[in-house]
Amino acid sequence: MQTILTDFYTLQSYEQNDGSFIANISLNKDHDIFKGHFPGNPVTPGVCMMQIVKELTEEFTGLKLFLKTASNVKFMAIINPFETPDLKLQLDITQTEEDVKVKNTTSFGETIALKMSVNYQKLTS
């Protein structure tokens, strides 16, 4: 799996049911990003969570994607990699000829941390 977030997270497992995927990932609490965001109080940056959704969507569809639009992006809980490194991401993926639409819910335990809808453009190599 190609990622720009080198060693930031590991895909532990996933399940597929039609166009719906449930991915279980683990964040690397020792990653350099957490040293600066924020020292002594690490918080997973929202942009990194959005990138993880894109990378998992690319992995599950086998496509290269470009973020076109994001709507209803709601960061609902802080993700501290020391307290809650294991995350569950539900991705409901719908493809058209040119686009890939994803509805995502990211959670840890019973807590929803992120909800968003994104639209990616398919890229040709």
Side-chain angles (χ1 to χ4, degrees):
M1 181 156 120
Q2 189 175 8
T3 174
I4 65 169
L5 295 173
T6 306
D7 298 326
F8 187 73
Y9 68 98
T10 303
L11 176 61
Q12 299 294 350
S13 65
Y14 71 91
E15 302 169 20
Q16 178 182 3
N17 186 3
D18 293 324
S20 186
F21 294 82
I22 297 189
N24 296 292
I25 68 165
S26 295
L27 298 175
N28 174 6
K29 65 181 175 46
D30 298 319
H31 196 277
D32 284 344
I33 285 175
F34 296 119
K35 292 176 184 159
H37 198 270
F38 296 96
N41 186 25
V43 174
T44 305
V47 69
C48 292
M49 290 307 305
M50 292 178 74
Q51 181 66 24
I52 290 169
V53 170
K54 177 182 175 277
E55 290 177 1
L56 290 174
T57 302
E58 288 178 328
E59 176 75 10
F60 297 151
T61 62
L63 299 167
K64 267 317 253 175
L65 303 170
F66 179 81
L67 179 63
K68 224 167 124 173
T69 60
S71 60
N72 299 319
V73 180
K74 297 178 184 171
F75 297 100
M76 303 168 77
I78 290 173
I79 302 171
N80 179 321
F82 286 87
E83 295 173 4
T84 53
D86 299 320
L87 305 175
K88 179 172 87 173
L89 290 84
Q90 178 167 342
L91 299 111
D92 297 321
I93 301 172
T94 307
Q95 292 190 49
T96 65
E97 195 170 311
E98 296 177 358
D99 296 334
V100 176
K101 295 180 181 179
V102 180
K103 285 188 180 178
N104 166 252
T105 302
T106 300
S107 58
F108 52 86
E110 298 299 313
T111 302
I112 295 175
L114 168 64
K115 285 181 122 180
M116 71 174 183
S117 297
V118 288
N119 190 16
Y120 301 107
Q121 178 180 343
K122 294 179 183 178
L123 297 178
T124 54
S125 301

